[in-house]
């Protein structure tokens, strides 16, 4: 795992597949996504405050893999969209992606990931709900990658966590491996609307300044 300071209050935890993010409010920490099931020990090494909550952007195993262990050990509140909660709890099976032709070789190159153990979800959220970190974190529904994918926007600070709705591998683009491409494209266009200076992604490098322009360019290039 690589630990990268994005902002004074925001650190990126980069894994071989995907990333998680630690947000700090004083001594209180919020973890956005948790990597794969084998990432928990490395995450624990960098927790230097109270892990207050875990926000899961969607159910995929590279985002929820370590959630159960961390939630149990630290008593953190687990937050996810109500449509993702049954899958995260192990009560339902998530829909597989509908691959575009260009995505087939990309998918074939992704290593097999350990399954995510079922994890409790303490708070089921909807579009427009506000979480108590970062001065008020706005939940933004971004369906398409999965039905209940969410982004998290800190409007007072100009920070956006996109989950897998957007990627930034080489350039800012629509995320891959979507269940419904049309809805995913609509979600990308929605994320291009807020005033955002810093954006961080489930896959790819952060955009620390000028993220709104990068998101608008990605949306304009995607139909």
């Amino acid at each position: 795992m690589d630990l990268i300071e994005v902002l004074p209050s925001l650190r990126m935890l980069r894994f071989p597949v995907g990333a998680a993010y630690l947000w700090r409010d004083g001594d209180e920490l919020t973890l956005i996504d948790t990597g794969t099931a084998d990432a928990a020990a490395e995450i624990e090494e960098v927790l230097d405050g109270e892990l207050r909550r875990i926000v899961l952007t969607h159910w995929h195993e590279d985002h929820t893999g370590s959630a159960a262990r961390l939630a149990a050990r630290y008593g953190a509140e687990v937050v996810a969209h109500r449509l993702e909660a049954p899958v995260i709890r192990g009560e339902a099976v998530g829909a597989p992606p509908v691959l575009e032709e260009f995505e087939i070789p990309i998918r074939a190159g992704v290593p097999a990931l350990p399954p995510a153990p079922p994890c409790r979800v303490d708070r089921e959220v909807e579009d427009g709900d506000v979480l108590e970190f970062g001065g008020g974190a706005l939940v933004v529904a971004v369906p398409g990658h999965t039905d209940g994918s969410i982004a998290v926007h800190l409007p007072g600070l100009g920070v956006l966590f996109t989950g897998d709705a957007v990627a930034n591998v080489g350039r800012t683009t629509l995320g891959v491996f979507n269940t419904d491409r049309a809805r995913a494209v609509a979600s990308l266009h929605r994320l291009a609307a807020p005033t955002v200076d810093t954006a961080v992604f489930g896959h790819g490098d952060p955009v620390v300044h000028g993220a709104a322009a990068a998101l608008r360019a990605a949306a304009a290039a995607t139909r």
Side-chain angles (χ1 to χ4, degrees):
M1 181 188 79
D2 295 325
L3 184 63
I4 300 163
E5 182 174 295
V6 181
L7 298 170
S9 296
L10 176 61
R11 289 178 289 171
M12 177 184 188
L13 286 58
R14 191 197 299 272
F15 305 109
V17 176
Y21 296 91
L22 267 178
W23 180 269
R24 172 181 291 280
D25 289 300
D27 292 330
E28 184 176 286
L29 301 175
T30 297
L31 180 64
I32 296 91
D33 291 327
T34 67
T36 51
D38 52 6
E42 291 182 296
I43 295 173
E44 289 176 21
E45 290 179 0
V46 301
L47 296 179
D48 54 357
E50 176 194 2
L51 183 59
R52 175 67 183 82
R53 68 185 58 80
I54 298 168
V55 181
L56 301 174
T57 61
H58 61 291
W59 67 263
H60 287 162
E61 57 267 71
D62 55 327
H63 294 258
T64 63
S66 291
R69 171 171 164 173
L70 295 170
R73 178 161 185 178
Y74 297 98
E77 177 188 50
V78 180
V79 180
H81 192 279
R82 65 172 180 83
L83 296 178
E84 304 292 284
V87 184
I88 294 168
R89 293 187 183 114
E91 300 165 352
V93 177
V98 179
L99 298 180
E100 301 290 309
E101 186 172 351
F102 79 91
E103 295 176 330
I104 295 173
I106 301 174
R107 182 76 171 188
V110 176
L113 302 177
C119 179
R120 72 174 196 273
V121 176
D122 303 302
R123 181 174 177 183
E124 298 182 20
V125 294
E126 301 269 7
D127 184 61
D129 286 350
V130 176
L131 305 175
E132 296 77 20
F133 74 94
L138 181 66
V139 174
V140 183
V142 285
H145 185 64
T146 64
D147 287 346
S149 285
I150 59 171
V152 180
H153 182 210
L154 309 183
L157 301 172
V159 176
L160 178 69
F161 302 85
T162 73
D164 280 1
V166 190
N168 191 51
V169 180
R171 61 189 177 92
T172 307
T173 61
L174 178 72
V176 294
F177 309 154
N178 300 301
T179 58
D180 186 325
R181 188 178 190 279
R183 295 181 81 197
V185 170
S187 292
L188 169 61
H189 281 257
R190 184 181 187 194
L191 291 181
T195 301
V196 175
D197 193 38
T198 298
V200 293
F201 311 89
H203 300 273
D205 297 325
V207 176
V208 179
H209 297 295
L215 291 164
R216 285 194 296 269
T222 308
R223 297 285 182 243

